[in-house]
Amino acid sequence: MKQLVLILLLLIGWSSVAQKSITLEECYQLVTENYPLAKQSKLLDAQNKLDAEVIATSKLPQLSLDAQATYQSDVIEFPLAMSGIEPLNKDQYRATVSVNQLIYNGGATEASLDLKSAQLKTKQKQVEVSLYQLKQQINQLYFSVLLAQESQLLLKAKKTQLEAKLKEVQSGIKYGVILPTSDKILEAELLKIRQQFNALESNKATLIETLSSLISQPLNTSTIFQNSLTVTQLQTEIARPELELFQLKKEEIENSENLLSKQNAPKLLGFATGGYGNPGLNMLDNSFQTFYTVGIKVNWNIFDSNANKKQRESLAINKDFIENETEIFKLNTNIALNQQQKEIDKIESFITSDLEIINLRKDVLKSADSQLKNGVITSSAYITELTNLYEDENTLVRHKIQLQLAKANYNVIKGE
């Protein structure tokens, strides 16, 4: 008994795994997390940290080592009155260690760090935009799978109806009410349904495999794709990540302008140099000596032929370009939203007509069913009416899925 309970629990657990379900929103989230492009965001962050550390080193003491040995063709000569002074050697040697410490540079270091931070945000937002653009591809695959699922359900219903009708026809043939071979026509139609089902299953498997690769999530034909898209009221307010990207680009330009404004500021540095050489600082002492110098210095580029000003003017033009790109994007997006709204309205009108057509087809099929039972029409005539109803029901299902797809695409275009 315990073994039986254990087997049942295992079967239930296996069934729950096999019947895994997924929603459209989960697909969006998974492609954002797992698509290879998503890795770039972390790489950009790591790269930015390294760049920031390099920029920050400008505030640290800069240490340099310099060594040289020279031979010169002539040296300073002293007059006869100073003949007691030893003449300088033509071969001279010097080794020095220098330390430079930035004291003030007008805030250029902080401005450089701010620019790097702005560049990081822009690049990461560009990655987000590229990932967002995958949503329409996800929509197409997801709703194509839904359409295959619904078509399979309709095909199964048609198959069940034909199998029931086949039993009735076989009984009618047995008692001579229905013409012989009528059952063969129904059996042939059932074989066609099997072919159609296999084709749908193969197409569905291909779609699921493609979607699975995009979102890096194991999916199979037993996975249940939830048709849970809810759209309350279609709004035209645009909230696309591209608009945030345009804003970040403008902020990046503003940080570049700020850095340029500080590049010509005076720089104050402290320095110290210690060395050992022959001669040392005392040129009259012709021997190896230690020496040192300490001090501060100011570096100020007071004229650069207006290069800095022209660079800032160029950046201002770039900002105008971004403003223009923003206007173009909003215009094109509004046009796309308007077109998508028209598509939604068109499909909704199709669905209204589909429902009317299906009601009429059901009445016709009901009459054909009665006529077949009484031997008034052949199985071929019945199958024709059944197929007409099935095709119209399939059209209704296709239009309903297309409506869901159109609304999902509307949301993506809008930025929801």
Side-chain angles (χ1 to χ4, degrees):
M1 182 65 181
K2 289 182 178 178
Q3 290 180 340
L4 179 60
V5 171
L6 179 61
I7 292 172
L8 287 173
L9 289 173
L10 288 173
L11 287 173
I12 292 171
W14 179 85
S15 176
S16 64
V17 172
Q19 293 297 314
K20 176 182 177 181
S21 65
I22 194 167
T23 65
L24 180 61
E25 289 72 20
E26 287 173 344
C27 289
Y28 288 159
Q29 184 64 30
L30 287 167
V31 77
T32 301
E33 294 172 354
N34 300 329
Y35 194 71
L37 183 64
K39 297 177 182 178
Q40 290 189 10
S41 185
K42 291 183 179 179
L43 293 174
L44 288 168
D45 190 52
Q47 184 184 52
N48 181 75
K49 286 181 180 178
L50 292 173
D51 291 341
E53 288 174 3
V54 171
I55 293 171
T57 58
S58 66
K59 292 185 174 182
L60 301 176
Q62 306 297 309
L63 187 67
S64 64
L65 173 65
D66 183 35
Q68 67 178 30
T70 63
Y71 181 87
Q72 54 196 63
S73 61
D74 203 359
V75 294
I76 298 174
E77 294 182 359
F78 300 98
L80 291 176
M82 302 175 65
S83 58
I85 299 176
E86 183 180 353
L88 298 177
N89 295 330
K90 291 186 177 181
D91 57 323
Q92 299 183 2
Y93 307 90
R94 172 173 290 211
T96 59
V97 175
S98 299
V99 179
N100 289 279
Q101 173 64 60
L102 178 66
I103 299 173
Y104 174 78
N105 66 349
T109 301
E110 290 74 13
S112 296
L113 290 171
D114 290 341
L115 177 58
K116 277 295 175 185
S117 177
Q119 289 172 340
L120 171 65
K121 292 177 182 178
T122 301
K123 290 176 181 178
Q124 288 182 329
K125 183 59 69 173
Q126 182 62 66
V127 171
E128 183 183 333
V129 167
S130 298
L131 289 172
Y132 186 86
Q133 291 169 352
L134 291 170
K135 281 190 172 183
Q136 287 202 352
Q137 188 176 353
I138 295 292
N139 286 348
Q140 192 63 48
L141 288 168
Y142 191 92
F143 287 102
S144 294
V145 172
L146 279 182
L147 179 58
Q149 281 186 176
E150 296 299 324
S151 297
Q152 284 178 325
L153 291 175
L154 275 178
L155 208 55
K156 285 179 181 177
K158 182 182 179 183
K159 177 175 175 288
T160 301
Q161 192 168 351
L162 276 176
E163 287 173 342
K165 188 55 61 182
L166 177 61
K167 291 180 181 179
E168 292 179 9
V169 168
Q170 288 172 339
S171 177
I173 292 173
K174 181 178 179 181
Y175 293 104
V177 179
I178 299 176
L179 294 173
T181 71
S182 294
D183 57 336
K184 304 300 180 186
I185 297 172
L186 294 173
E187 288 173 356
E189 188 65 22
L190 285 169
L191 289 174
K192 285 183 180 180
I193 288 177
R194 185 182 301 172
Q195 289 179 338
Q196 292 170 355
F197 190 86
N198 290 338
L200 278 172
E201 189 70 11
S202 175
N203 182 50
K204 179 182 172 184
T206 302
L207 292 167
I208 290 175
E209 184 178 349
T210 305
L211 182 59
S212 176
S213 298
L214 272 177
I215 65 176
S216 299
Q217 186 77 4
L219 303 172
N220 53 50
T221 52
S222 66
T223 303
I224 298 173
F225 287 76
Q226 300 289 343
N227 190 1
S228 58
L229 178 69
T230 55
V231 181
T232 53
Q233 184 177 1
L234 299 178
Q235 303 290 336
T236 57
E237 184 179 352
I238 303 172
R240 289 282 291 270
E242 287 88 342
L243 295 178
E244 297 176 32
L245 176 61
F246 292 139
Q247 182 59 37
L248 287 173
K249 284 183 176 180
K250 286 193 288 185
E251 291 176 7
E252 183 181 333
I253 290 174
E254 289 168 0
N255 278 280
S256 296
E257 291 172 335
N258 184 42
L259 176 59
L260 281 173
S261 69
K262 297 179 183 300
Q263 281 184 341
N264 285 344
K267 296 177 179 61
L268 180 65
L269 299 97
F271 66 90
T273 301
Y276 181 74
N278 182 4
L281 295 181
N282 183 1
M283 298 294 294
L284 299 181
D285 186 351
N286 193 20
S287 64
F288 281 92
Q289 309 164 37
T290 59
F291 57 88
Y292 71 91
T293 58
V294 294
I296 59 173
K297 60 181 177 180
V298 175
N299 183 2
W300 189 5
N301 185 9
I302 59 176
F303 181 69
D304 64 352
S305 301
N306 285 329
N308 190 282
K309 179 182 177 183
K310 291 174 182 177
Q311 285 178 302
R312 280 182 284 168
E313 289 174 353
S314 177
L315 287 174
I317 293 173
N318 282 341
K319 193 182 291 186
D320 291 337
F321 270 120
I322 294 172
E323 289 285 357
N324 182 251
E325 287 178 355
T326 305
E327 290 177 13
I328 293 171
F329 178 80
K330 287 181 177 179
L331 175 62
N332 290 337
T333 303
N334 282 321
I335 291 172
L337 283 174
N338 185 57
Q339 291 174 340
Q340 200 65 27
Q341 182 64 66
K342 293 290 190 295
E343 180 71 13
I344 291 170
D345 295 340
K346 180 184 73 175
I347 297 172
E348 286 178 341
S349 68
F350 286 166
I351 290 174
T352 301
S353 300
D354 289 338
L355 293 171
E356 295 175 359
I357 293 170
I358 287 170
N359 287 333
L360 293 172
R361 290 291 187 193
K362 285 181 178 178
D363 290 340
V364 173
L365 183 63
K366 186 176 180 181
S367 176
D369 181 54
S370 176
Q371 290 173 345
L372 179 62
K373 288 179 181 177
N374 295 320
V376 177
I377 61 172
T378 63
S379 296
S380 296
Y382 174 81
I383 288 175
T384 298
E385 296 305 330
L386 178 62
T387 301
N388 287 338
L389 175 60
Y390 165 75
E391 289 178 351
D392 290 333
E393 287 178 334
N394 203 38
T395 299
L396 173 61
V397 167
R398 186 170 66 254
H399 284 156
K400 284 183 176 180
I401 298 298
Q402 285 176 347
L403 179 61
Q404 293 289 84
L405 173 59
K407 289 181 177 180
N409 284 339
Y410 185 98
N411 285 341
V412 170
I413 294 169
K414 180 181 62 177
E416 187 173 290

